[in-house]
Amino acid sequence: MRIEIPREVERFGPVQIHDVQKVWELDAGLKLKELEPKEKERRVITRISYESLQDIQEQMAIVVPIKDEKIKLLEGVLAGIPHECLVILVSNSKREPVDRYKIEMDALNHMSKFMKKDIFIAHQKAPLLAQACKDAGYEYILDDKGEVRSGKAEGMILSTILAYLCGKKYIGFIDSDNYFPGAVYEYVQEYSAALYSAKSDYSMVRIAWHSKPKIVESSLFFAKRGRASEHTNKVLNMLMSSYTGYGTEIIKTGNAGEHAMSMDLALNIDYSSGYSIEPYHYINVLERFGGVIDSPSADVMKQGIQFFQIESRNPHLHEVKGDEHVKSMSREAMEVIYRSPLCPDHLKQEILIDLYNRGLLKEGEEMPETVRYYPALTKVNMLKFKQALAKASFAEFLKADLSKYKHKNGKKKLARETVKSKDHLPDPHEQLEIK
Ligand code: GDD
């Protein structure tokens, strides 16, 4: 892959947010290929060989969350994931009246005869997984019935634990309703390119789609951003600006469902429920490590956190789930920003006005509390989680070497719990080291 270096970077304490990077060549050849004489001068472009991407993919799990999607779509998505990645399908599909999960398993068995992939599937509501959460001291994602809660985030959290237990160093997410296997392939290549280039062990890469095709007046129109994303990005950027004192448009991937990160980062951030999980990545990293609020981890602070945003080349075409779905996703994104102890009062007002204007809240209504927060996975006792899964159908994949693992019984709290109200916050301008 040949990819431009980020032109801009915003710094928020030790957190670096890199500007969107453009891909110039999806495949830039093998490692040993001789460099063109002028190559070294073109420092604005990085060439990442096929082998280097593959090296990252050998250490990467790709999680595919699925809930009642068409099997044909799933088949395409699986076909697009590069061979070296381990694939974890986490399903919350209906079991009744039609057992859609069984259909998914059948389809997977059938596909496995043709595809040669390391892949397994787990149902989010499986009693064994709920038991593993209980045994491991991570009951936060369980509901009153003792089952893992529904939601994309909850499925992602579970599969992050599974990926860790599989010994993976990186984890990436790909939605199961993508129409273009070629886009799926590209996203994973871009995850690998960014994580290969990362200087910190705590890094994340998010895909900014090149375009999202729609039919407008009987013609194809390639829209640049999704409807929810525009608002989320704007407000996230305003939040950054309110601390740095400079206007910015650096964040272009506030809602990015397609993203990947190092396992070190995945274990050290808090999560929020449902579709708010992606914007909350930004919020939580700024809360935990931005330097404004006490940080729970000195090592993360020292190494810094790097966000990369890569503009993909393929158009992004996925199942359309309707207006109400997009509205609730957008409202949840606004809620996690609004509820952050970092969010200044003036921005809270702006968020409410935006939600009133878009009809996502009634005029004068307060922000409802719909989002749940889950603490970082350092709270999970991984040994106990693994033991509980000894009889799982996918137990053979859980081969991480835990011989040196010591559970520190996570003293870490939710970043949101570290301050009670905004009054307790130190002056951010004194705290931040803006380089
Ligand atoms: N395991 C699991 N559990 N998977 C789920 C659940 C659940 O409760 N709910 C949804 N999924 C799966 C879907 O089957 C799909 O593959 C993926 O999660 C994304 O869900 P969609 O409902 O299709 O979301 P979307 O396409 O509208 O939004 C996507 O893009 C947004 C950015 O525009 C998601 O990735 C969002 O998280 C993202 O913000």
Side-chain angles (χ1 to χ4, degrees):
M1 179 161 290
R2 212 177 284 268
I3 195 164
E4 72 181 14
I5 59 165
R7 261 172 279 183
E8 303 277 343
V9 54
E10 282 290 345
R11 293 185 168 86
F12 194 104
V15 181
Q16 292 181 0
I17 303 180
H18 293 98
D19 202 359
V20 169
Q21 291 169 257
K22 191 167 169 173
V23 173
W24 287 95
E25 252 190 330
L26 284 172
D27 184 338
L30 296 171
K31 204 172 213 163
L32 293 177
K33 213 174 155 197
E34 251 181 68
L35 291 180
E36 295 165 34
K38 281 192 185 155
E39 189 88 6
K40 286 182 194 143
E41 290 159 30
R42 286 196 234 137
R43 292 289 185 211
V44 290
I45 302 282
T46 315
R47 186 177 88 95
I48 301 157
S49 71
Y50 180 78
E51 293 96 320
S52 305
L53 297 178
Q54 193 174 330
D55 190 38
I56 299 287
Q57 287 160 13
E58 282 171 11
Q59 306 173 70
M60 183 183 279
I62 293 293
V63 170
V64 181
I66 180 163
K67 188 176 176 205
D68 305 324
E69 303 289 355
K70 293 174 188 150
I71 297 293
K72 284 263 181 252
L73 285 180
L74 175 65
E75 187 181 322
V77 167
L78 296 182
I81 299 174
H83 175 76
E84 301 298 340
C85 303
L86 166 72
V87 184
I88 303 178
L89 258 166
V90 59
S91 171
N92 190 19
S93 297
K94 288 193 194 86
R95 308 297 312 256
E96 282 172 353
V98 177
D99 192 343
R100 292 199 58 90
Y101 179 58
K102 186 165 177 289
I103 298 175
E104 287 160 8
M105 286 196 295
D106 284 349
L108 199 62
N109 281 338
H110 181 70
M111 286 179 238
S112 304
K113 291 180 190 145
F114 300 88
M115 285 175 190
K116 184 97 185 65
K117 267 196 200 313
D118 276 345
I119 178 163
F120 69 86
I121 183 165
H123 198 278
Q124 198 163 326
K125 301 279 179 188
L128 206 60
L129 284 171
Q131 189 59 48
C133 290
K134 272 191 208 144
D135 292 358
Y138 199 79
E139 287 170 315
Y140 311 95
I141 52 171
L142 304 183
D143 62 15
D144 300 340
K145 288 190 272 172
E147 289 179 343
V148 172
R149 290 179 189 281
S150 290
K152 185 188 168 207
E154 290 72 0
M156 289 164 65
I157 293 169
L158 266 186
S159 39
T160 304
I161 303 173
L162 295 178
Y164 174 86
L165 291 177
C166 292
K168 295 297 167 183
K169 197 173 164 198
Y170 304 104
I171 182 163
F173 299 90
I174 297 279
D175 288 347
S176 54
D177 60 346
N178 195 316
Y179 275 90
F180 295 155
V184 170
Y185 177 78
E186 182 189 348
Y187 298 156
V188 181
Q189 297 293 88
E190 284 154 0
Y191 295 167
S192 315
L195 293 169
Y196 175 81
S197 321
K199 302 270 184 299
S200 164
D201 290 339
Y202 305 95
S203 301
M204 179 181 296
V205 44
R206 302 165 75 94
I207 302 295
W209 307 320
H210 179 266
S211 59
K212 211 173 165 184
K214 291 179 182 163
I215 306 283
V216 179
E217 293 177 358
S218 334
S219 299
L220 261 185
F221 174 72
F222 292 88
K224 199 75 185 159
R225 302 265 171 262
R227 282 175 292 168
S229 307
E230 281 197 18
H231 295 270
T232 312
N233 293 340
K234 187 173 145 208
V235 177
L236 283 171
N237 284 320
M238 284 163 78
L239 178 76
M240 295 268 298
S241 306
S242 62
Y243 283 92
T244 60
Y246 286 87
T248 181
E249 293 184 354
I250 198 85
I251 297 181
K252 302 198 175 69
T253 55
N255 285 91
E258 267 66 34
H259 62 273
M261 60 187 131
S262 59
M263 188 55 77
D264 286 333
L265 181 60
L267 295 179
N268 275 289
I269 51 176
D270 300 328
Y271 292 99
S272 64
S273 59
Y275 295 101
S276 68
I277 185 167
E278 285 100 8
Y280 190 60
H281 286 145
Y282 277 119
I283 291 291
N284 187 250
V285 166
L286 297 180
E287 284 174 2
R288 276 176 94 93
F289 310 115
V292 181
I293 303 173
D294 271 357
S295 172
S297 169
D299 183 53
V300 189
M301 295 292 282
K302 208 166 168 193
Q303 282 209 45
I305 299 93
Q306 292 188 300
F307 280 97
F308 297 94
Q309 308 180 87
I310 308 232
E311 185 175 83
S312 55
R313 285 279 172 177
N314 277 276
H316 186 87
L317 187 63
H318 65 144
E319 278 284 88
V320 177
K321 310 249 160 79
D323 265 6
E324 285 312 310
H325 173 73
V326 177
K327 282 183 185 170
S328 97
M329 189 185 299
S330 188
R331 212 203 41 69
E332 282 180 26
M334 292 298 163
E335 184 179 334
V336 285
I337 307 173
Y338 181 95
R339 296 218 176 285
S340 170
L342 293 181
C343 188
D345 289 339
H346 72 88
L347 189 54
K348 287 188 177 179
Q349 281 313 310
E350 299 246 12
I351 291 173
L352 287 176
I353 291 166
D354 175 63
L355 292 174
Y356 300 150
N357 289 344
R358 288 194 284 147
L360 303 189
L361 281 187
K362 288 195 200 104
E363 194 75 36
E365 197 181 339
E366 283 186 19
M367 180 67 84
E369 281 193 43
T370 61
V371 170
R372 290 175 180 277
Y373 295 90
Y374 306 120
L377 298 177
T378 41
K379 292 243 183 196
V380 179
N381 184 326
M382 294 292 183
L383 276 172
K384 292 200 172 156
F385 203 100
K386 187 180 172 191
Q387 277 159 13
L389 296 181
K391 294 212 169 92
S393 56
F394 48 83
E396 61 176 301
F397 288 97
L398 311 179
K399 44 191 173 201
D401 176 11
L402 298 184
S403 56
K404 292 196 185 118
Y405 174 81
K406 277 204 185 78
H407 181 52
K408 296 194 188 99
N409 199 12
K411 287 177 204 125
K412 293 160 192 169
K413 299 182 200 156
L414 284 174
R416 324 183 49 254
E417 289 170 0
T418 57
V419 278
K420 294 271 183 302
S421 83
K422 188 151 184 305
D423 302 338
H424 295 81
L425 287 181
D427 178 353
H429 298 284
E430 281 172 18
Q431 296 287 314
L432 290 178
E433 187 200 340
I434 314 284
K435 287 175 194 152

